[in-house]
Amino acid sequence: MKLYPMFADLGSRRILVVGGGVVAERKVAALLAAGAQVIVAANASTPALQSLAAQGRIELRQDEFDASWLDTIWLLVAATSDQALNRRLAMLAEQRRIFVNVVDDATLSSFHVPAVVDRAPLTIAISSGGAAPMLARLIRERLEALLDPSLGPLTALAARWRERIRARHPDLGQRRRFYETLFTGPVAALLRRGRSGQAEQATARALAEPSQMASGSVVLVGAGPGDPGLLTLRGLRALNEADVILHDRLVSDEVLELARRDAVRVAVGKESGRHHTVQDDIHRLMLEYAGSGKRVVRLKGGDPFVFGRGGEELEFLRQHGIAYEVVPGITAALACAAYAGIPLTHRRHAQAVRLMTAHCRDSLDALDWAAMAQERQTLAVYMGVGELGTLQAGLIEHGRAPETPFALIENGSRADQRVITGTLANLVASAAQHAVRSPALLILGDVAALAQRLSWFGAEPV
């Protein structure tokens, strides 16, 4: 280990920054955030540094550097473009046993400023020892994506309850197990939902009754249409916290690969003709796993609340007293249209979007055909491959022009995406000619014609 990792308390301590450019400005901002008393030495400085000086937040010295300035400081930051001055500053700091950071020069620095993930009061610092600072920044970006912002409030809560937890669990092993559950169980879930008061109450109950910490929970997560890059950060965090993942048939393998490796994965895809039976099975599994204290992710293709039965599942969880959260996903209409180069609205073509499902005859019979046939709107039809004939006939019968453009997007956002285009009059024939299969989304309206010249992903439209 080349560097000894250390977090320094700079509160009210004098720190000297030599340099007045944008780099110095960034260093000053971080030092002020840590509570330091900052002195900036520079002949010329940025407007932001001048403003900080005018506000009395920093001391700005515009004289030539004087070595005596080092006599009362704790740390030195050299942020100048003058290499000779930087070397002199490093030498003077070494003589006085003051730690110095020379920006972009690891060989002259006795301390390095790490890349930081800030979940105050939790702080994570990453350093490559000056060997590859860009790699440290890349790792920071990945950690930012993985670590929920609620970790800050969770750390603060643990600090407030620390002495009471120690008194309640004097045995180190018991205390460690309590903390593990505190950081991963219902208290953490309440903080993610912004319910700090309830989190405090749950902590008090858990200390009084340890069994309170054993309850499980369910998170409904929208997996998006298939491209793992479209999974939300919150969805990714949920997958990495899950003990059990109940996933639909349409959730891509690439999304599942992002999940925690040791999580139990259960496929709960629905089959035609068995929707009610399978939904009851899903309810049973959620109750069984959450009831045994597991963190369950119910992973759904697209968005849980857009033709995904998410509402029914929340009603069931509420009825049985199971804690739940919802993480929205990018629904197929948004993602598939975007990946096909089709804007769902366009000021010259469509001022409204209508989302509908056509997975069975009962749903089609309940549709407002006259409203659907209106011009200057975009129809996005989910699960309609098996009912294209009925859709075509009903729309034309109620006044939608036969020459209205359509796009059928099969496996939208995935590597094997296909886009079939044409007009409403040849919708059924085109789908048959190209053997379109589910999952496929139908977009109908003038905007669909834009796929031919705005497509950017996958094979060219046909």
Side-chain angles (χ1 to χ4, degrees):
M1 186 169 61
K2 181 179 178 182
L3 299 177
Y4 183 77
M6 178 177 65
F7 286 88
D9 180 4
L10 300 183
S12 300
R13 289 178 167 84
R14 292 163 65 85
I15 312 298
L16 177 62
V17 177
V18 181
V22 292
V23 174
E25 187 180 304
R26 290 198 298 269
K27 301 297 182 183
V28 167
L31 291 166
L32 289 175
Q37 291 185 1
V38 181
I39 304 164
V40 176
N43 291 326
S45 55
T46 66
L49 290 173
Q50 293 172 20
S51 175
L52 289 172
Q55 299 168 37
R57 297 184 61 194
I58 65 172
E59 179 185 342
L60 183 58
R61 297 179 179 176
Q62 295 179 298
D63 303 325
E64 289 297 322
F65 173 76
D66 187 330
S68 66
W69 294 349
L70 301 179
D71 293 341
T72 60
I73 66 167
W74 291 74
L75 289 176
L76 172 63
V77 176
T80 82
S81 57
D82 185 336
Q83 294 184 0
L85 176 57
N86 287 343
R87 285 193 296 271
R88 180 184 174 217
L89 291 169
M91 179 191 68
L92 292 171
E94 180 72 17
Q95 291 172 353
R96 288 165 172 78
R97 299 179 182 177
I98 296 172
F99 281 106
V100 60
N101 174 251
V102 180
V103 177
D104 291 334
D105 194 332
T107 60
L108 292 178
S109 299
S110 55
F111 80 93
H112 295 183
V113 179
V116 172
V117 179
D118 185 1
R119 297 291 186 270
L122 177 68
T123 306
I124 301 167
I126 307 108
S127 172
S128 66
M134 291 302 298
L135 178 59
R137 290 172 194 156
L138 176 62
I139 293 171
R140 180 191 65 79
E141 291 171 6
R142 293 185 177 179
L143 290 176
E144 286 280 9
L146 288 171
L147 301 177
D148 195 278
S150 65
L151 286 175
L154 183 59
T155 306
L157 179 143
R160 288 192 297 274
W161 286 85
R162 183 177 181 180
E163 294 306 319
R164 281 170 283 186
I165 293 171
R166 287 174 64 89
R168 178 67 176 83
H169 296 291
D171 177 75
L172 181 60
Q174 290 180 346
R175 189 159 68 245
R176 182 183 295 114
R177 287 190 292 274
F178 180 88
Y179 272 120
E180 288 174 352
T181 311
L182 179 74
F183 294 151
T184 59
V187 171
L190 286 166
L191 289 174
R192 281 196 301 270
R193 292 154 58 188
R195 297 184 175 178
S196 56
Q198 293 183 25
E200 297 281 347
Q201 295 169 11
T203 305
R205 288 195 301 271
L207 275 178
E209 304 176 45
S211 61
Q212 290 283 338
M213 298 295 286
S215 58
S217 61
V218 176
V219 184
L220 269 64
V221 176
D227 182 349
L230 297 183
L231 184 69
T232 65
L233 294 182
R234 179 68 193 100
L236 178 61
R237 293 178 189 128
L239 286 177
N240 279 278
E241 295 167 358
D243 299 312
V244 179
I245 300 171
L246 308 178
H247 61 91
D248 282 347
R249 177 177 60 89
L250 295 180
V251 174
S252 69
D253 292 339
E254 292 81 2
V255 170
L256 286 172
E257 280 299 308
L258 299 175
R260 175 177 159 184
R261 292 288 181 240
D262 57 345
V264 175
R265 303 180 187 187
V266 182
V268 292
K270 301 179 180 69
E271 299 175 9
S272 179
R274 296 189 63 242
H275 286 222
H276 293 294
T277 302
V278 172
Q279 191 61 49
D280 290 342
D281 290 343
I282 293 171
H283 290 171
R284 177 183 56 77
L285 288 170
M286 288 193 299
L287 183 60
E288 176 184 324
Y289 284 118
S292 64
K294 304 294 185 183
R295 291 167 294 180
V296 180
V297 163
R298 173 70 177 98
L299 189 62
K300 294 170 163 291
D303 180 273
F305 282 1
V306 180
F307 308 125
R309 296 189 176 226
E312 296 176 35
E313 293 177 3
L314 286 198
E315 288 175 331
F316 176 84
L317 294 169
R318 180 82 174 188
Q319 177 185 350
H320 289 82
I322 301 296
Y324 58 80
E325 299 177 48
V326 181
V327 180
I330 298 179
T331 191
L334 302 181
C336 294
Y339 273 58
I342 300 172
L344 290 175
T345 63
H346 192 294
R347 62 179 179 172
R348 290 197 297 270
H349 302 299
Q351 285 73 49
V353 181
R354 187 183 295 269
L355 307 183
M356 54 175 288
T357 179
H359 70 285
C360 64
R361 174 66 58 179
D362 290 344
S363 64
L364 289 172
D365 291 342
L367 294 176
D368 184 347
W369 288 98
M372 288 168 48
Q374 292 175 6
E375 300 296 327
R376 301 190 67 79
Q377 69 171 330
T378 304
L379 299 183
V381 185
Y382 293 67
M383 297 172 280
V385 171
E387 299 293 343
L388 293 179
T390 304
L391 287 167
Q392 180 189 54
L395 289 169
I396 293 176
E397 178 184 346
H398 286 82
R400 197 77 193 239
E403 60 271 18
T404 301
F406 79 82
L408 275 166
I409 306 167
E410 184 182 86
N411 295 315
S413 85
R414 306 187 189 207
D416 55 349
Q417 171 179 299
R418 287 199 305 161
V419 180
I420 315 301
T421 62
T423 62
L424 180 58
N426 64 14
L427 171 62
V428 174
S430 293
Q433 176 186 351
H434 296 285
V436 174
R437 297 287 182 268
S438 178
L441 181 91
L442 169 65
I443 296 179
L444 185 76
D446 290 346
V447 294
L450 297 173
Q452 286 292 343
R453 58 188 178 90
L454 299 183
S455 67
W456 61 273
F457 178 82
E460 293 290 332
V462 296

